[in-house]
Amino acid sequence: MNSSLPKWITIVSGLLSLLGIFVGISLYLSPGTFIENVDFSTLGSRYLANMWAARQIAIAAIIAFSLFRKLAIMLRISLIAYCLMNVQDVGIGLWMGDNGLTIGASVFCLISASMIVILSKKAP
C-alpha cells in the first residue's frame, strides 16, 4: 500500500465503501428494511428510495476509487462528503426521534472525521 495512506485508514475506508454499496443495493431491492413505517409500493416513495440508493452507491464508489488509485487527497474529500452525509443523518435522527439512526450516524461521523484529521496531517 502507498505510504501516504495508513493501513488502518485503507481497511476502514474499504469497509465503509463495501457497506455503502451493500446498503445502496438493499435500498434498491428492499427499502422497507430501513424504514418500516413507509409504504414503498407507491411510486413517489420508491422514487425517493432509489435516489437514496443511488447516492449511497455513488459515495461508496468514490471512496473505493480513491483507495484504488491510492490518492490521499481524493480520499479525504470523499470522506468529507461521507462525514457531511452522516452529520445530516444525525440531525434527521434527532428530529425524527430515531435513536438508532442518531447513534449509528454519530459513530460513522466520528470514524470518518478521525480519518479526515489523520489524512489532513499527512497532506502537503
Side-chain angles (χ1 to χ4, degrees):
M1 284 278 129
N2 189 341
S3 62
S4 66
L5 292 178
K7 190 171 190 136
W8 75 271
I9 289 180
T10 301
I11 292 168
V12 173
S13 295
L15 291 173
L16 289 178
S17 180
L18 287 174
L19 178 65
I21 290 169
F22 287 129
V23 167
I25 290 169
S26 296
L27 283 166
Y28 276 126
L29 300 177
S30 179
T33 58
F34 294 94
I35 305 174
E36 297 166 357
N37 58 352
V38 175
D39 178 15
F40 286 101
S41 64
T42 65
L43 186 60
S45 60
R46 192 60 180 205
Y47 175 73
L48 290 173
N50 288 343
M51 287 177 31
W52 181 16
R55 281 151 183 78
Q56 285 287 329
I57 292 172
I59 290 174
I62 293 167
I63 292 171
F65 183 76
S66 302
L67 290 172
F68 177 73
R69 295 292 308 266
K70 299 176 183 152
L71 298 171
I73 187 114
M74 186 175 178
L75 179 59
R76 187 174 64 192
I77 292 168
S78 58
L79 287 171
I80 289 169
Y82 182 79
C83 187
L84 179 59
M85 179 183 72
N86 280 293
V87 166
Q88 293 176 78
D89 283 347
V90 169
I92 292 166
L94 289 170
W95 183 46
M96 298 300 291
D98 185 344
N99 290 333
L101 177 61
T102 303
I103 293 167
S106 296
V107 168
F108 285 110
C109 185
L110 291 172
I111 290 169
S112 57
S114 66
M115 290 188 289
I116 292 164
V117 168
I118 298 297
L119 289 171
S120 295
K121 288 180 181 177
K122 290 189 166 283

